[in-house]
Amino acid sequence: LTNIQAAVGVAQMENLDEYVRIKRGIAERYRKGLADVSGLTLPTEAPWAFSTFWLYTILVDKAGYGMDSRFLQRALAEQNIQARPLWAPIHTLLPYRDCQAYRIEVADRLYRDALSLPCSVGLGQADQERVITTVHALAHSR
């Protein structure tokens, strides 16, 4: 960690409470706006936890939603909405493909079905409403 990186980190910590408040607000708007969309599983917060919702990652069931997560990602991109897949499991990355892996089907399923919606602290409510409206409109559209 360089001195400059440390200084940036310290400066960001001064904003942490505000960023978490914003992230939780984004998660709440998505939760309310997408709750009735069939085929989507939304992230939840365990009763004993306090989530920052740093990412807002949904699971997309192809049969229930009408398209898989990667098709939804491309359809959102056509509407200038950037969504990203969940991180690739390590065992699928080039340096580790020949390494032994055991019973990691859940990681593979999550990678296949998960999609992170836009949730930057700079995301305005109008932009978030556009994401919600577009996800609704795309359900069973293809």
Side-chain angles (χ1 to χ4, degrees), residues 10-20:
V10 169
Q12 290 294 340
M13 290 301 293
E14 294 173 3
N15 297 318
L16 182 60
D17 290 340
E18 178 66 6
Y19 288 169
V20 170

Side-chain angles (χ1 to χ4, degrees), residues 107-124:
D108 290 332
R109 180 182 60 79
L110 290 174
Y111 178 64
R112 181 191 69 228
D113 296 343
L115 190 65
S116 293
L117 298 178
C119 62
S120 167
V121 294
L123 185 70

